[in-house]
Amino acid sequence: MPIISILNPKGGSGKTTITTNLARSLHERGHKVLIVDSDPQGSARDWHAANEENPLPLVALDRANNVKSLPNVAAAYDFVMVDGAAKLEDMIAASIKITDFVFIPVTPSPYDLWAASDLVEFIKARQEVTDGKPAARFIISRAIAGTRLGDEIVTALAEQGLGVFTTHITQRQVYPQTASEGGTVFDSKNADALAEVNALTDEILAFID
Ligand code: ADP
Ligand code: MG
């Protein structure tokens, strides 16, 4: 039932990678999941089309007006995962209005965090008129394996005033490799990647509970 939107107007932050891997992770746990591609660029659509045996249903809703109908569709699923658009303000605004949770992938760079400020301000303004909906958190994406977040990142994150999940998605070849076949890390045997996607799924499920 919950609608989860993975949003960040910046391209390359890992929205599609995180949407597809989290959706598959929830599917592996027996949940009925729908992926919504809200990006006119259609990366999630291309990903889906690359694998005839993809176990997940996907719909494309890349006009703000279409997005408004999502809450009706969501009733038939355990989770709806919206893969966010880049640089399309009306799409992002429409997604924020219908979503229960927003997760914002950011690479561990202060520039990327600052670039997310407008989105964070928009979410906070929405929360004020809705009693806190959508709840929002950052996901550190494309982190370098084995390194801790620098102090400047921790400070930049704190300045944004939203929480951040403890689990990071690391920069790993297995993400683009599996995506190119329309898959996810669940189609690989990469134990480290599987462990981080599963740990992030655990954290998200605990957060939205
Ligand atoms: P967005 O949807 O925000 O534009 P993508 O998920 O499409 O971002 O990622 C942009 C590019 O970076 C893609 O080529 C993708 O395969 C690659 N990428 C994303 N996340 C990772 C990661 N954790 N490790 C390696 N490559 C990644
Ligand atoms: Mg994308």
Side-chain angles (χ1 to χ4, degrees):
M1 211 80 83
I3 302 177
I4 298 173
S5 294
I6 308 296
L7 301 181
N8 186 334
K10 197 169 161 107
S13 53
K15 292 181 292 295
T16 302
T17 300
I18 288 177
T19 302
T20 52
N21 278 279
L22 280 178
R24 176 66 185 273
S25 177
L26 290 165
H27 169 85
E28 290 297 315
R29 295 175 188 215
H31 298 296
K32 197 174 170 197
V33 186
L34 175 69
I35 299 177
V36 176
D37 185 355
S38 78
D39 187 351
Q41 265 188 358
S43 305
R45 264 165 273 182
D46 292 341
W47 166 83
H48 199 259
N51 178 4
E52 281 178 8
E53 279 154 35
N54 197 311
L56 292 154
L58 178 144
V59 294
L61 290 183
D62 59 14
R63 296 211 178 141
N65 261 336
N66 295 343
V67 169
K68 285 183 198 153
S69 65
L70 254 191
N72 304 327
V73 178
Y77 294 89
D78 298 326
F79 295 94
V80 173
M81 303 261 338
V82 180
D83 182 18
K87 283 189 194 146
L88 276 182
E89 282 167 14
D90 59 335
M91 277 306 296
I92 294 181
S95 303
I96 287 172
K97 282 188 185 149
I98 54 85
T99 205
D100 301 296
F101 301 96
V102 177
F103 300 136
I104 308 169
V106 279
T107 68
S109 144
Y111 303 117
D112 283 7
L113 276 163
W114 293 327
S117 313
D118 288 351
L119 173 62
V120 170
E121 288 314 312
F122 195 94
I123 292 169
K124 285 184 182 162
R126 179 75 189 163
Q127 286 173 338
E128 274 178 25
V129 296
T130 59
D131 222 7
K133 196 184 140 197
R137 281 280 182 284
F138 285 110
I139 298 173
I140 302 292
S141 170
R142 314 187 70 173
I144 307 304
T147 56
R148 289 177 51 243
L149 284 190
D151 291 342
E152 72 285 3
I153 304 296
V154 173
T155 306
L157 269 170
E159 278 168 2
Q160 301 279 2
L162 294 183
V164 54
F165 290 114
T166 310
T167 306
H168 302 169
I169 296 299
T170 310
Q171 178 77 18
R172 300 178 194 276
Q173 267 306 103
V174 68
Y175 288 106
Q177 266 163 8
T178 51
S180 66
E181 286 155 18
T184 65
V185 296
F186 290 86
D187 301 300
S188 80
K189 295 195 166 54
N190 190 310
D192 292 335
L194 284 163
E196 69 188 12
V197 172
N198 276 317
L200 182 61
T201 308
D202 290 341
E203 273 197 76
I204 287 175
L205 287 173
F207 178 70
I208 72 181
D209 198 20

